[in-house]
Amino acid sequence: MRTAIALVFLLLPIHSTQANPYSYQTFEGQSLSLYRYEGANTFFWYSPAAIPQITASMATNHILPSFDQAMANYRTMGQVASYPPSTAKGSVAIVPSTCGAGCGLNGKAEVLQSAVIEHLNGQHAEGPGYETDPTKATFWWIALYELGRGSVFGFYSKLDYRKQANGSRDYTVIGSAFPHVVANVTMNDRGFTPAVVKQKSINAIPKFKDKYIALMAQGYRYMDWHSAAGGVQTFQGLPSMDVMAVVIYEFYLRYGKTALTNFFDAAADLPDANTPLQAACNLSSAMDQALIHGGYASATASTFLVNEFAFPRCDGELRDRWYNGCLDLPPPQAVGTQAIGYQCNGGANQKWKRVPASINTTGGLSPRSKYGVRGERLVGVGDKCLQAGLQPNDRLVYQNCSKSNYNQIFYPVSGGAWQTESGHCVDVNGGTVLLWGCHGGNNQKWDFIQSAPY
């Protein structure tokens, strides 16, 4: 669940100050005298003498609004109203020396002065064609990216599984993928389409996508970049964080910014990922959850990831302990179809995705729990949801997913039983699957057998 976001940050007027230079302390410990401009969410620092091409009007009316938008996105998507954690506002400074072309830590970003001048002159190290106009958000991609670097947001441990030798978490991949996504979304917010960003910015996720598609054609799969060996995997110049950014940004392009924000919110409430597969499955299930809570009747995110982006399967069979049969959705597998028990055969109609259940609250999405466990939705072939009734003998029916229908929430209580909102258990009697009073029998106990990833 995210902390309520104070949107007043976006409504405040921009205040600009250039009467006197201010003292600025760099990451490297240098004390500089720079002019400072103040926006709603950020400060912008630079030397007009060193970079006369950037005017006060540019700083106030064009540059700061891009930085302010980025900070608003980090706060909203990162689920924290108090970002950066130690100050009220972030900052971007153009400095003579820092840890690279751009460097960031907890909402503070530094950009090399020499790199800015090269960009202004069309002399980018990557070649010509990149943005040379400092009034455009595409010029400042490195600053938009670095504003989110060095922080640990609540969903990092859910989407990145790595641990260092001393046992501490290592967020190298999501710690770069998330700022990539925010930078690209910010450039979109500022009026630049993904096609223009791809042309004008090095930090363009559509470029990463082209590389990923080409590698998938050679047989590479998402998990090749996320192996149990840990560390950053790179194939033909494409590293793990860029691949993760591709799938998250693709979700945004297909479903929109609200769905993206709900995805990060949903991910924050999942268990920590301790394996590469768990991290990947957390990502896909959080996307499905975001769609359901966005009013979508089908949880299609995990399906397009598997079908189009070589993502691992995270579904599986629900097998009862009495008949050793599977929860099955027979033809026509459409809305209104009743689930049955049937001999396990590995078919798609016997595969179920377990999507953690949440409810909407004032602060965002909150886990829906009962009987001491978190509820789940069972999403089957066609990406619809299984729905229980209220009374004994009621059948389980395939229906459009609905965030407000609690009868679509099942609770995996201890011992293997699946209890419903009404308090009954999912029971199999021959080929009939129905609700019945919970009694602890093996015909009410189900084991989830996860599918092979590929």
Side-chain angles (χ1 to χ4, degrees):
M1 180 179 70
R2 66 176 180 267
T3 305
I5 305 299
L7 295 180
V8 68
F9 286 110
L10 296 177
L11 305 177
L12 293 173
I14 291 177
H15 304 288
S16 176
T17 296
Q18 196 194 9
N20 296 293
Y22 287 77
S23 176
Y24 177 85
Q25 195 80 9
T26 72
F27 285 136
E28 295 184 333
Q30 297 175 302
S31 183
L32 303 177
S33 180
L34 300 176
Y35 285 93
R36 187 184 74 181
Y37 295 82
E38 182 177 3
N41 301 326
T42 47
F43 292 102
F44 175 51
W45 308 73
Y46 85 108
S47 168
I51 312 177
Q53 298 97 318
I54 297 179
T55 66
S57 176
M58 289 179 182
T60 301
N61 299 318
H62 300 285
I63 299 172
L64 271 170
S66 293
F67 298 159
D68 285 345
Q69 182 63 53
M71 289 303 298
N73 285 338
Y74 280 115
R75 288 169 179 161
T76 304
M77 296 179 197
Q79 319 302 321
V80 285
S82 56
Y83 183 74
S86 58
T87 62
K89 297 184 179 183
S91 73
V92 176
I94 302 177
V95 296
S97 176
T98 186
C99 50
C103 195
L105 180 66
N106 291 329
K108 179 180 179 181
E110 293 182 350
V111 182
L112 270 179
Q113 183 174 285
S114 58
V116 172
I117 294 172
E118 288 173 356
H119 296 182
L120 288 168
N121 295 331
Q123 299 172 337
H124 199 285
E126 296 283 331
Y130 294 104
E131 188 64 74
T132 60
D133 184 350
T135 67
K136 310 296 187 185
T138 44
F139 183 92
W140 298 102
W141 64 268
I142 188 66
L144 305 178
Y145 170 79
E146 294 293 353
L147 279 169
R149 293 278 283 161
S151 296
V152 177
F153 295 92
F155 49 83
Y156 275 19
S157 63
K158 327 298 180 170
L159 303 180
D160 207 335
Y161 63 91
R162 290 167 179 78
K163 290 185 178 180
Q164 297 176 357
N166 62 5
S168 63
R169 304 289 303 203
D170 178 357
Y171 304 115
T172 302
V173 174
I174 185 61
S176 181
F178 179 54
H180 273 316
V181 171
V182 171
N184 277 256
V185 171
T186 300
M187 288 186 279
N188 300 155
D189 289 340
R190 295 293 295 161
F192 299 95
T193 66
V196 172
V197 172
K198 181 178 178 180
Q199 176 188 4
K200 292 291 188 178
S201 170
I202 294 177
N203 184 26
I205 296 178
K207 288 182 180 178
F208 307 159
K209 180 181 175 181
D210 287 348
K211 294 180 181 179
Y212 185 46
I213 289 174
L215 287 169
M216 283 192 292
Q218 298 177 32
Y220 286 89
R221 301 177 296 194
Y222 182 85
M223 295 307 293
D224 291 329
W225 279 269
H226 300 85
S227 71
V232 176
Q233 310 295 315
T234 301
F235 298 101
Q236 298 184 29
L238 186 67
S240 308
M241 55 277 290
D242 292 1
V243 174
M244 183 181 285
V246 165
V247 297
I248 296 175
Y249 188 66
E250 185 70 21
F251 179 76
Y252 155 76
L253 292 179
R254 295 186 183 213
Y255 301 107
K257 192 173 179 181
T258 298
L260 180 65
T261 300
N262 284 340
F263 156 68
F264 289 121
D265 194 355
D269 288 325
L270 295 176
D272 285 352
N274 292 311
T275 68
L277 183 59
Q278 186 180 4
C281 290
N282 277 352
L283 187 150
S284 64
S285 67
M287 287 184 178
D288 281 339
Q289 185 183 339
L291 293 185
I292 293 172
H293 282 273
Y296 287 83
S298 302
T300 56
S302 53
T303 299
F304 92 73
L305 289 176
V306 169
N307 292 342
E308 301 177 41
F309 287 86
F311 216 76
R313 297 184 66 93
C314 297
D315 58 10
E317 297 173 344
L318 277 169
R319 186 174 297 181
D320 78 83
R321 296 182 188 174
W322 182 257
Y323 300 99
N324 199 34
C326 281
L327 184 65
D328 182 293
L329 193 68
Q333 299 157 2
V335 169
T337 301
Q338 294 182 345
I340 64 173
Y342 198 80
Q343 180 179 352
C344 298
N345 56 34
N349 60 318
Q350 293 184 349
K351 303 294 186 182
W352 300 91
K353 295 181 289 188
R354 299 172 62 174
V355 179
S358 294
I359 56 175
N360 291 331
T361 62
T362 303
L365 303 183
S366 295
R368 173 62 177 173
S369 298
K370 199 172 184 179
Y371 317 119
V373 296
R374 182 172 186 178
E376 301 178 16
R377 288 182 172 85
L378 297 176
V379 177
V381 61
D383 302 316
K384 305 294 185 182
C385 289
L386 196 62
Q387 182 172 310
L390 294 172
Q391 303 297 329
N393 284 317
D394 282 353
R395 303 291 297 273
L396 274 63
V397 181
Y398 207 43
Q399 295 288 1
N400 288 325
C401 298
S402 171
K403 66 179 180 181
S404 59
N405 191 331
Y406 285 12
N407 290 327
Q408 293 181 355
I409 300 177
F410 298 83
Y411 299 88
V413 296
S414 62
W418 286 78
Q419 205 163 351
T420 64
E421 193 73 23
S422 64
H424 300 92
C425 282
V426 178
D427 183 297
V428 59
N429 184 1
T432 302
V433 176
L434 45 81
L435 293 188
W436 198 254
C438 299
H439 54 64
N442 280 342
N443 64 322
Q444 292 186 347
K445 294 181 179 179
W446 303 81
D447 294 313
F448 182 73
I449 313 300
Q450 186 158 341
S451 301
Y454 295 103

